[in-house]
Amino acid sequence: MSNPLTREQHLDLYYFMQLNRQLEERMVRLFRQNKIVGGLYSSLGQEGVSVGTCYALEKKDWIAPMIRNIGALLVKGVPPRDIFTQHMAKYTSPTQGKDGTSHFGDLKVRHIVSPISMLGDLIPVMTGVAMAGRYLGQKIVALTWIGDGGSSTGAFHEGLNLAAQQRAPFVLIVENNQWAYSTPVSRQVPVKNLADRAVAYGIRSWIVDGNDVAAVYNTTKEAVDECRAGRGPALIEVKTMRMRGHAQHDPAEYVPKQMFEYWRARDPIALYEKYLTENKIWDAKTKAEIDARIERELDVEQKFAEESPMPPAELAEEGVYCEGCHAIEATWQRAKAEVSPPASSFEPGWEVKDYGAFAEVEAIRKETAAPAVFAPAGNAGGNGAKVSKPIVKSGGKPQPKPPARGVEPEVPEVPRVPFGRGPKDKSVREAQNPRDRHAHQNPRDKRGRR
Ligand SMILES: Cc1ncc(C[n+]2csc(CCOP(=O)(O)OP(=O)(O)O)c2C)c(N)n1
Ligand SMILES: [Mg+2]
């Protein structure tokens, strides 16, 4: 893990990951005490993703977090009390108790667009933010996250195509945490690497070990720099694991135990602690000081939230629609004349160099030696476009190579299990042992029930 981070920055990454984890652990306790009103989603095991990606941004840049990105909110400077009060629906929360999870933003100071629950919709929205920033001359980058499940929505593909076509300074982090509710990635996507989808949009992509915070930071920094230099957008797939169920109500009994064990041994905070120690970036005393600071800060923030009042009943009628409470104004960082006629005027007319001819396609195919989509059956392949394969990053550790395009990836068979069912459930037993199912279906089989 060689990177240009200073000691302070290294310690910052630890502070934010640990703050993220401790804050969420406290919220789990509050949930069990019935003090959390809304849904509670865990980012246990994914702290390195939220923190490492957001830490690569500048203050002026924009984010739009999803449910497992509390770490990014903390890096952006959102105080833990906002997260506590928001989940407890307190009057002192950013939404004054109108929302029970993380649907809040900060358009003025921290540049945070509120989450949108419809998965994928933040992609076109943040593409718009990126394009608007460029238009206004702000030199900003916009970044959002999407899950493996969310990457199968129409909005994902429409948004990414728009971003690619507009060369928007937009970074998309695809959080491949292996599960979408109870559905494993292999059951909803026929490719192993979600980063491979970037090829379809002609944009650059990376694959990174999401549990290696320094690698996540470095890769995102590279992608952000590319976007700021006008070479966006960029897609980064982070490989990680959702270490809890979808939300508090879900015990995740459908996840194979060995899979949890595998990823538990790759806990991002434990790995980073080891890295800091081995590289002599800290010692036991520094760690104890940071941990104590987190404890102190969270004590104060939680107390504030618990002692805060619930909203007055009358508030339910107010603030449903914006009645002039939000003034949305553009912050111009360039002369408007640059983007107004006559400077912005151009001669109408379109040039299509090869007239879209087949001959040109064949020439590209010969040049790249890549099989084209119109190849005979049994010779599956790409479209001949010159787009590089994802760059695989893991902080110096060897990573399995992504399968060559057109090659069937090895996807492990995972039994299909209905959402929320555990290993003792009939449907799970049947999925794992098909003979049980026949036993039920065959009325002549003595073990079967009629
Ligand atoms: C368009 C859309 N479809 C379905 C849902 C319901 N939903 C909420 S979270 C979720 C699973 C998301 O899985 P993934 O994208 O992998 O994110 P993760 O929960 O693993 O972070 C689904 C299906 C939704 N919010 N929006
Ligand atoms: Mg997922």
Side-chain angles (χ1 to χ4, degrees):
M1 274 198 262
S2 68
N3 58 67
L5 287 170
T6 64
R7 177 173 183 271
E8 285 318 304
Q9 289 173 320
H10 271 110
L11 296 181
D12 261 2
L13 288 178
Y14 172 77
Y15 167 78
F16 284 119
M17 282 201 293
Q18 193 63 273
L19 183 66
N20 182 171
R21 181 165 293 183
Q22 298 306 323
L23 168 57
E24 288 194 22
E25 281 189 6
R26 283 173 183 244
M27 288 209 292
V28 170
R29 290 200 286 274
L30 290 168
F31 184 90
R32 291 180 183 162
Q33 293 164 14
N34 230 4
K35 292 178 180 168
I36 296 276
V37 178
L40 185 61
Y41 307 91
S42 169
S43 71
L44 185 72
Q46 295 181 227
E47 295 91 344
V49 177
S50 296
V51 171
T53 50
C54 195
Y55 201 78
L57 295 173
E58 290 181 17
K59 209 167 169 230
K60 64 183 176 186
D61 293 333
W62 284 72
I63 63 163
M66 291 294 286
I67 49 176
R68 300 189 209 284
N69 301 125
I70 281 178
L73 291 175
L74 297 171
V75 172
K76 265 285 187 191
V78 172
R81 67 179 52 192
D82 281 2
I83 298 160
F84 278 128
T85 52
Q86 189 67 23
H87 283 81
M88 296 166 88
K90 292 293 179 94
Y91 192 34
T92 50
S93 76
T95 58
Q96 295 186 304
K98 280 186 182 288
D99 177 67
T101 55
S102 51
H103 295 98
F104 69 99
D106 178 354
L107 303 183
K108 282 272 178 242
V109 181
R110 300 190 183 94
H111 301 156
I112 302 170
V113 173
S114 164
I116 302 177
S117 290
M118 293 74 190
L119 302 175
D121 282 9
L122 278 172
I123 297 170
V125 168
M126 293 308 279
T127 297
V129 169
M131 287 166 62
R134 180 172 60 193
Y135 187 71
L136 298 169
Q138 295 174 342
K139 298 192 170 45
I140 55 141
V141 170
L143 181 149
T144 190
W145 297 260
I146 185 83
D148 42 281
S151 77
S152 295
T153 59
F156 172 100
H157 295 281
E158 290 174 32
L160 208 48
N161 185 57
L162 175 69
Q165 182 52 33
Q166 293 294 327
R167 291 274 156 236
F170 167 62
V171 178
L172 180 61
I173 309 294
V174 181
E175 282 182 294
N176 183 349
N177 65 3
Q178 318 300 330
W179 299 89
Y181 274 117
S182 58
T183 306
V185 180
S186 57
R187 283 279 175 193
Q188 58 115 359
V189 183
V191 293
K192 192 162 172 64
N193 299 304
L194 300 172
D196 291 352
R197 289 172 158 182
V199 177
Y201 304 106
I203 64 174
R204 281 189 86 190
S205 67
W206 289 256
I207 299 175
V208 64
D209 177 352
N211 290 21
D212 179 343
V213 68
V216 171
Y217 165 80
N218 280 330
T219 307
T220 314
K221 182 82 175 64
E222 196 179 327
V224 166
D225 289 348
E226 285 281 295
C227 285
R228 218 183 297 281
R231 292 188 291 271
L235 183 153
I236 302 172
E237 178 188 0
V238 288
K239 306 271 192 193
T240 183
M241 171 71 179
R242 195 194 71 198
M243 295 299 286
R244 290 276 181 267
H246 178 70
Q248 280 294 310
H249 63 272
D250 171 16
E253 288 176 326
Y254 46 82
V255 177
K257 277 203 180 66
Q258 303 89 315
M259 192 165 177
F260 274 136
E261 278 160 24
Y262 172 84
W263 285 96
R264 205 166 289 124
R266 303 200 40 70
D267 179 79
I269 296 185
L271 284 183
Y272 193 57
E273 288 185 4
K274 191 161 169 268
Y275 164 78
L276 291 177
T277 305
E278 281 174 3
N279 288 279
K280 301 192 174 29
I281 297 170
W282 73 356
D283 53 21
K285 187 167 162 270
T286 311
K287 174 180 159 48
E289 279 166 8
I290 299 174
D291 290 348
R293 176 185 158 200
I294 290 172
E295 203 64 11
R296 257 191 335 266
E297 288 174 356
L298 288 179
D299 278 348
V300 173
E301 300 291 276
Q302 184 177 337
K303 187 166 184 293
F304 171 85
E306 290 205 60
E307 289 175 357
S308 288
M310 296 303 277
E314 312 83 74
L315 197 74
E317 287 182 357
E318 295 170 22
V320 178
Y321 300 105
C322 176
E323 290 158 357
C325 44
H326 294 83
I328 299 175
E329 288 158 16
T331 315
W332 287 90
Q333 302 280 317
R334 76 200 299 186
K336 282 189 200 177
E338 280 180 33
V339 285
S340 315
S344 65
S345 303
F346 60 92
E347 284 295 314
W350 304 99
E351 195 189 349
V352 182
K353 278 198 185 124
D354 62 347
Y355 307 116
F358 180 79
E360 184 76 9
V361 180
E362 267 214 319
I364 291 172
R365 190 162 70 96
K366 276 193 194 122
E367 199 185 307
T368 60
V373 285
F374 46 72
N379 187 11
N383 59 6
K386 285 186 197 171
V387 178
S388 51
K389 283 183 183 171
I391 303 159
V392 181
K393 295 268 175 113
S394 67
K397 287 181 231 94
Q399 274 269 304
K401 270 193 177 174
R405 210 160 305 292
V407 175
E408 187 77 10
E410 276 176 33
V411 182
E413 255 310 303
V414 184
R416 188 184 290 275
V417 177
F419 174 61
R421 304 280 169 85
K424 292 182 199 132
D425 191 88
K426 189 177 75 178
S427 59
V428 179
R429 288 202 316 271
E430 284 176 355
Q432 280 163 353
N433 185 4
R435 285 175 65 193
D436 278 5
R437 182 167 56 236
H438 293 306
H440 291 303
Q441 284 168 353
N442 184 353
R444 279 179 293 184
D445 189 313
K446 284 194 182 119
R447 289 178 301 162
R449 274 180 252 142
R450 288 170 196 233

